Amino acid sequence: MKEKLYQRLIELTNGKQSSNILQAIAKAKWSKRIIPSYMKLYDINLEEVSKKQQQFASLHDFFTRELLQEARPIEKNPMVYVSPVDAKIESFGRIEWDMTFLVKGKPYALEDLLGHSERAANYADGHFIVFYLSPADYHRIHSPIDGEVLRQYTLGQKSYPVNQIGLTYGKKPISHNYRLVTELKTAHNQQVAFIKVGATFVNSIVLTNRTTKWYKGQEVGYFSFGSTVVMLFEKDSIEFTENVVQGNPIRMGEAFANML
């Protein structure tokens, strides 16, 4: 009953008009007056931010803020994948034999997530990890590894919440939300799916790097709202590091998996 009620309420409020209103408010000049309260609410450390508070033109400008380069050191070992974002580790584990994985008890099919059965088959019996970005987090997206971009495409129309409530009661938002899929081939010939998922009515995932060669730690885009990143790995290609624990925070540039 709770699940159906939640889904109905979200459907009633999720549309182009609500998305436009949210974006208009966040980008309005007057919204910069909200920044001090926003910082206090989410306990944001301004010392690692590249600009001073008064230099931000709007709340959106602050939300998509850049950090000082030294604020996020990158693990340099070429055999290590690093977190592409500041986030909480929402879920991780092995992809099941039927090409599904579980998040909050809900099965997600790789074919739905990637929009293609043959591409999904590349990750059968492999591993997955889900990173959740809250409104408090740094929202720039970086490359998790050195690699060649094999393909890049978007799927989905709307974006539903991907927070705890959304994942529990929503209609599988990870595989149905608007999302930008990037598949990379590493120097060690591993194929990786790197999926950026929009959230909370705003389909804004901005790509800032359109080259076909990505380098670990290099900025590749940003989210305009709290969002989620999913990564998929081939069978027997990685093992997660000890810091990968459900609910643990992780910073961009920190190791989370070793190549096998």
Side-chain angles (χ1 to χ4, degrees):
M1 182 64 180
K2 287 182 180 178
E3 188 168 305
K4 289 183 178 180
L5 178 61
Y6 171 85
Q7 291 174 3
R8 181 60 179 158
L9 288 171
I10 291 297
E11 286 291 349
L12 287 171
T13 56
N14 190 356
K16 188 174 182 180
Q17 186 175 8
S18 57
S19 175
N20 289 341
I21 290 171
L22 279 171
Q23 293 192 61
I25 290 172
K27 292 180 179 180
K29 289 183 178 180
W30 61 262
S31 68
K32 65 183 178 182
R33 296 198 295 267
I34 303 172
I35 294 174
S37 299
Y38 189 92
M39 288 175 52
K40 185 176 181 181
L41 177 64
Y42 292 112
D43 193 26
I44 293 170
N45 178 14
L46 200 62
E47 291 182 0
E48 63 183 20
V49 179
S50 63
K51 294 196 294 189
K52 297 184 183 299
Q53 180 188 316
Q54 58 270 25
Q55 293 178 300
F56 290 98
S58 65
L59 182 60
H60 175 269
D61 189 25
F62 181 74
F63 190 85
T64 58
R65 61 194 176 274
E66 296 178 322
L67 302 183
L68 297 170
Q69 188 172 358
E70 60 268 24
R72 295 292 182 275
I74 310 298
E75 168 58 57
K76 297 189 183 300
N77 187 332
M79 300 296 290
V80 169
Y81 287 94
V82 301
S83 179
V85 288
D86 280 12
K88 179 184 75 173
I89 297 171
E90 184 62 53
S91 187
F92 68 96
R94 185 171 292 279
I95 297 166
E96 301 296 333
W97 64 271
D98 58 352
M99 290 188 289
T100 64
F101 60 91
L102 292 175
V103 180
K104 293 293 180 185
K106 291 181 182 290
Y108 284 88
L110 296 191
E111 185 173 350
D112 291 342
L113 186 62
L114 297 171
H116 198 284
S117 58
E118 290 183 13
R119 291 171 193 165
N122 291 330
Y123 307 101
D125 296 323
H127 286 82
F128 76 95
I129 189 166
V130 179
F131 301 99
Y132 168 67
L133 290 77
S134 78
D137 288 317
Y138 164 65
H139 275 71
R140 297 271 163 171
I141 309 164
H142 298 253
S143 181
I145 199 72
D146 290 352
E148 176 192 354
V149 177
L150 297 177
R151 63 187 64 87
Q152 208 153 217
Y153 56 97
T154 59
L155 294 168
Q157 299 295 321
K158 295 183 177 182
S159 289
Y160 301 96
V162 290
N163 56 16
Q164 296 289 319
I165 296 173
L167 291 175
T168 302
Y169 297 117
K171 293 181 179 179
K172 299 184 180 180
I174 290 175
S175 61
H176 288 75
N177 279 15
Y178 174 82
R179 56 205 182 278
L180 173 61
V181 179
T182 306
E183 287 195 280
L184 298 168
K185 179 74 78 174
T186 75
H188 300 278
N189 210 35
Q190 291 188 2
Q191 188 165 314
V192 184
F194 180 26
I195 304 148
K196 286 73 68 184
V197 183
T200 317
F201 315 154
V202 180
N203 288 349
S204 186
I205 303 169
V206 178
L207 198 64
T208 58
N209 182 354
R210 297 185 178 276
T211 65
T212 57
K213 179 66 177 176
W214 286 7
Y215 298 94
K216 187 194 292 188
Q218 180 184 36
E219 183 190 303
V220 295
Y222 64 82
F223 291 113
S224 286
F225 219 82
S227 305
T228 292
V229 169
V230 182
M231 291 191 66
L232 307 174
F233 302 91
E234 295 173 303
K235 181 179 180 181
D236 299 329
S237 63
I238 61 118
E239 61 179 6
F240 292 117
T241 55
E242 292 181 355
N243 63 317
V244 175
V245 177
Q246 188 171 356
N248 266 13
I250 190 166
R251 285 185 161 193
M252 190 282 291
E254 292 181 348
F256 74 87
N258 297 311
M259 290 186 186
L260 295 178

